[in-house]
């Protein structure tokens, strides 16, 4: 009888715990959510650039982020780079995770480009000249224009 009172609740707790994410960060995203973001983003590699584009016929940089978050985890995030920047909080690079946003100042002072981290060394984004690609943070072009790593609230 005592064994029944201990084992059954313990099994119930174990089953519930196994279904929970490994961790959740300040945005509420689990490790699984972040894996889904990276996987969905990767499925768009090679998609052409299209200003204002939000689908597999063509993406601009913020349209890619918008679509990936919507499709992977059903979050309705802002549509433009400026709005995405405003709707997110700065993350220290040591705490950055796949799925976090990477912002750049490509054409001068204002934030005008966004990508999504896929690792500590790479991000995926929609390049005007090459469409959806993976780039390295070590690339001089992006390193010199880097502005911030951010995470949706």
């Amino acid at each position: 009888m005592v064994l029944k009172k201990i084992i059954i609740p313990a099994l119930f707790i174990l089953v519930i715990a196994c279904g929970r994410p490994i961790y959740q960060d300040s945005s509420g995203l689990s490790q699984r959510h972040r894996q889904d973001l990276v996987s969905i983003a990767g499925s768009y590699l090679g998609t052409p650039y299209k200003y204002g584009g939000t689908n597999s016929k063509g993406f601009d940089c913020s349209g890619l982020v918008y679509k990936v978050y919507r499709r992977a985890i059903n979050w309705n995030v802002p549509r433009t780079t400026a709005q995405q920047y405003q709707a997110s909080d700065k993350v220290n690079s040591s705490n950055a995770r796949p799925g976090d946003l990477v912002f750049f100042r490509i054409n001068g002072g204002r934030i005008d480009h966004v990508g999504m981290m896929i690792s500590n060394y790479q991000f995926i984004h929609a390049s005007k000249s090459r469409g959806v690609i993976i780039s390295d943070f070590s690339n001089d072009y992006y390193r010199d224009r880097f502005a911030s790593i951010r995470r949706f609230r």
Side-chain angles (χ1 to χ4, degrees):
M1 183 67 101
V2 173
L3 195 56
K4 199 180 218 182
K5 288 182 178 180
I6 294 171
I7 291 179
I8 291 176
L11 286 173
F12 181 75
I13 290 169
L14 181 64
V15 168
I16 290 174
C18 288
R20 292 200 175 172
I22 294 170
Y23 71 84
Q24 284 189 334
D25 57 32
S26 60
S27 66
L29 291 178
S30 69
Q31 185 175 359
R32 175 61 189 217
H33 287 137
R34 292 185 173 284
Q35 290 169 347
D36 289 347
L37 288 166
V38 171
S39 176
I40 296 297
S43 73
Y44 293 120
L45 283 171
T47 303
Y49 180 87
K50 180 180 178 189
Y51 182 77
T54 60
N55 60 47
S56 57
K57 292 181 182 177
F59 289 107
D60 65 11
C61 61
S62 58
L64 176 65
V65 169
Y66 172 85
K67 179 69 170 190
V68 167
Y69 268 81
R70 182 82 179 220
R71 187 171 160 211
I73 59 175
N74 201 31
W75 278 16
N76 190 20
V77 301
R79 173 57 193 90
T80 69
T81 301
Q83 291 168 340
Q84 290 172 359
Y85 185 84
Q86 291 300 320
S88 57
D89 295 321
K90 187 174 183 176
V91 174
N92 185 302
S93 61
S94 64
N95 293 325
R97 304 223 188 298
D100 286 343
L101 307 179
V102 186
F103 290 92
F104 300 90
R105 291 181 171 93
I106 300 296
N107 295 312
R110 69 181 179 87
I111 302 291
D112 57 3
H113 189 65
V114 63
M116 190 178 75
M117 287 187 61
I118 59 173
S119 74
N120 289 343
Y121 309 103
Q122 296 181 317
F123 62 100
I124 189 166
H125 61 119
S127 159
K128 285 183 181 179
S129 61
R130 297 173 49 207
V132 178
I133 59 170
I134 294 173
S135 294
D136 287 343
F137 287 111
S138 63
N139 178 304
D140 290 343
Y141 180 82
Y142 293 109
R143 190 178 59 239
D144 293 346
R145 290 161 176 80
F146 171 78
S148 180
I149 298 173
R150 299 177 73 87
R151 182 176 293 158
F152 284 122
R153 297 181 189 107

